[in-house]
Amino acid sequence: MADTPSPTAAELVASIRDKKISAVSAVRAALERAEQQKDLNAFVILNRDGALAAAALVDAGKTTGALAGLPIVVKDNINTADLPTSGGTPALQNARPTRNAPSLQKLLDAGAIIIGKANMHELAFGITSTNLSSFAGAVKNPYHKTRIPGGSSGGTAAAVAARIVTCGLGSDTGGSTRVPAALTGTVGLRPSVGNGGAERRYDDANLVVPISHTRDTVGPMGRTVADVALLDSVITGSPVALAEPLRGKRLGIPASFWSGLDRELEAVAIAARAKLADAGVVLVDADLPGLFEQNAKVSFPVALHEPVADIPAYLKASGIEGITLADIAAKIASPDVQGAFGAITADVFGAAYPDVMTVQRPALQKLYAAYFRDNRLDGILFPTTIAPAPTIDMEKGSSEMSINGGTPAPTFDTMIRNTDPGSNAGLPGLSLFAGMTAGGLPVGLEIDGPVGSDTKLLGLGLSIEAILGTAPAPNV
């Protein structure tokens, strides 16, 4: 693909509004690009007729709004009333929810058009998007088709990176918008979740195929920070984030998050960090001792206990009848997800869960609160993942990887190391493009902030992106 500058979401919407192009032509072009790049496996289903009909309404002036005519993709665990929502798993392949998830509904109300449901890691339980369900398949990274795109929102990331669309929706439990953003040179936001209630930025309760009501959130993904900020403003009904001046901003650099990195990735991340220091960012060398250990006391007990109640609650709220948690578990195609559901259906963490929620998770949150407070930080800066995209392995479901030629280790644990703790504490996080490795793979840099600092994070992201740039188009 020639590296001609792609329009941002806002530029595309403006071109449609000003009649420079028609919504139908924008949607048709996106559908054509999806067809041309079918081998990426970015989609579970394309919405050709529905998308073109919706575009015609925009051109006729019957649909207006801040996103009128904008083609988007939606991860296939986010409820769509007009299309099946499979969660990438056989038992739900033809499941039809009765209504759209609220965050998606706000985009549709603003005139966005779904061109398709994006492929994903089965049931969102993983970060490779090597999905062994017969109707899904492994999603490929547009920068190197032998590599994973990350997950679980791998299809959304691949579609955005391949310039099929400018933006779309993913979801994030432990890194599922940010890991694929990092591995595909795109941008992913995990909005604030906090302790739920008023601290939760997006509320899609029981209308997204769940893992954990404590940890799950829908998150916007895009080619640029501006694309993500635009979707965020429509979902939240707030003004679009504006660039924050970087000079004097204090970003924590925890040594533990910067250790054990792939050598090529480390070179890119350190160069990006130096550029930010040159721009006047104050980099505060302060570690978070004990954070990974405390996170381990929270992560799996929450993610492997809450589905016991959350999946049945989802099925009921979505009007999906005749399918149970046991039915879903029995038909899982991917071995890694089968393993997780063995622990879920046996509820191995049921006894530990009350202590996790009353003692261990609050302790994790206090660690972060003290870190932000004591170091007077605007955010924390670190490489989103500790290695670039590993190779797809259909035999083992991409379940192992090696860093710098070392002993193979579980891909999941390795790739969520830096994204998972903030997720468990309910913090917002933004992954953006840092640069390309010598081998031509994208690297992501993440900023996490205190709960509720999402708009400021996006503002910092806009300014950081202005310095680090955006990813070159892949040669797909």
Side-chain angles (χ1 to χ4, degrees):
M1 183 186 292
D3 198 9
T4 49
S6 302
T8 64
E11 288 166 351
L12 190 53
V13 170
S15 294
I16 293 167
R17 185 185 60 232
D18 298 341
K19 310 282 189 207
K20 290 178 181 166
I21 60 168
S22 68
V24 166
S25 68
V27 165
R28 189 173 282 128
L31 289 165
E32 283 171 5
R33 289 191 294 269
E35 280 292 347
Q36 287 161 3
Q37 299 177 55
K38 206 159 38 179
D39 67 327
L40 290 175
N41 265 343
F43 291 89
V44 170
I45 188 168
L46 281 177
N47 180 35
R48 286 185 196 81
D49 294 346
L52 289 166
L57 292 175
V58 173
D59 289 335
K62 293 176 181 173
T63 300
T64 56
L67 304 178
L70 179 69
I72 62 168
V73 299
V74 179
K75 185 178 179 179
D76 203 21
N77 62 343
I78 298 170
N79 277 12
T80 44
D82 295 338
L83 295 163
T85 299
S86 75
T89 201
L92 296 176
Q93 183 180 354
N94 301 307
R96 277 293 184 108
T98 48
R99 60 195 176 106
N100 295 317
S103 293
L104 170 61
Q105 187 63 55
K106 288 174 182 169
L107 301 183
L108 298 176
D109 290 346
I113 296 170
I114 302 170
I115 67 151
K117 297 297 290 286
N119 201 351
M120 56 184 282
H121 201 102
E122 188 171 2
L123 285 161
F125 265 90
I127 59 80
T128 66
S129 299
T130 302
N131 187 331
L132 300 190
S133 303
S134 60
F135 67 92
V139 187
K140 297 171 189 170
N141 191 317
Y143 286 91
H144 206 302
K145 291 180 187 174
T146 64
R147 308 273 180 152
I148 69 166
S152 59
S153 310
T156 301
V160 171
R163 310 308 200 252
I164 293 168
V165 290
T166 56
C167 54
L169 291 181
S171 67
D172 191 304
T173 302
S176 285
T177 57
R178 296 160 292 150
V179 170
L183 301 191
T184 62
T186 55
V187 180
L189 174 69
R190 175 188 170 84
S192 288
V193 170
N195 291 319
E199 291 185 333
R200 176 178 273 283
R201 190 167 177 86
Y202 299 3
D203 188 0
D204 294 281
N206 295 327
L207 294 173
V208 176
V209 181
I211 292 176
S212 153
H213 65 268
T214 297
R215 297 177 54 184
D216 292 351
T217 178
V218 167
M221 302 173 71
R223 197 177 58 78
T224 68
V225 177
D227 297 325
V228 169
L230 177 62
L231 295 191
D232 176 75
S233 80
V234 171
I235 291 169
T236 57
S238 56
V240 180
L242 300 173
E244 286 265 347
L246 292 179
R247 188 160 296 282
K249 290 292 190 298
R250 296 172 61 83
L251 298 181
I253 305 288
S256 49
F257 282 69
W258 287 81
S259 68
L261 305 178
D262 168 89
R263 280 187 288 269
E264 284 196 20
L265 176 142
E266 184 175 34
V268 173
I270 287 175
R273 195 171 83 183
K275 286 180 187 172
L276 298 185
D278 289 344
V281 175
V282 180
L283 301 175
V284 182
D285 283 312
D287 207 5
L288 272 156
L291 181 79
F292 291 149
E293 294 77 7
Q294 188 59 36
N295 182 59
K297 296 175 183 175
V298 179
S299 191
F300 285 130
V302 174
L304 297 177
H305 168 68
E306 290 192 349
V308 174
D310 289 354
I311 289 177
Y314 163 79
L315 295 168
K316 185 178 179 187
S318 302
I320 297 168
E321 295 173 349
I323 299 172
T324 65
L325 173 63
D327 295 333
I328 291 170
K331 293 184 179 177
I332 289 169
S334 309
D336 57 334
V337 185
Q338 286 171 356
F341 268 73
I344 290 163
T345 51
D347 199 15
V348 298
F349 288 105
Y353 181 75
D355 175 67
V356 169
M357 294 305 289
T358 56
V359 178
Q360 305 305 338
R361 185 168 182 265
L364 179 71
Q365 292 172 315
K366 280 179 191 152
L367 256 173
Y368 271 111
Y371 185 72
F372 283 116
R373 182 187 65 238
D374 297 348
N375 296 292
R376 306 190 318 282
L377 298 177
D378 297 286
I380 309 173
L381 185 74
F382 53 88
T384 311
T385 60
I386 69 173
T391 304
I392 294 170
D393 171 7
M394 291 304 289
E395 196 178 314
K396 292 183 177 173
S398 310
S399 62
E400 286 187 341
M401 64 182 288
S402 170
I403 293 184
N404 299 328
T407 310
T411 307
F412 181 73
D413 301 358
T414 303
M415 295 304 264
I416 67 161
R417 187 195 77 179
N418 284 357
T419 57
D420 198 51
S423 311
N424 282 309
L427 306 182
L430 178 72
S431 179
L432 42 73
F433 176 67
M436 303 292 284
T437 66
L441 294 172
V443 173
L445 204 57
E446 180 165 342
I447 341 167
D448 283 1
V451 171
S453 65
D454 306 57
T455 302
K456 182 177 180 180
L457 273 191
L458 288 164
L460 291 169
L462 287 165
S463 297
I464 290 170
E465 187 178 75
I467 291 167
L468 301 181
T470 55
N475 294 315
V476 287

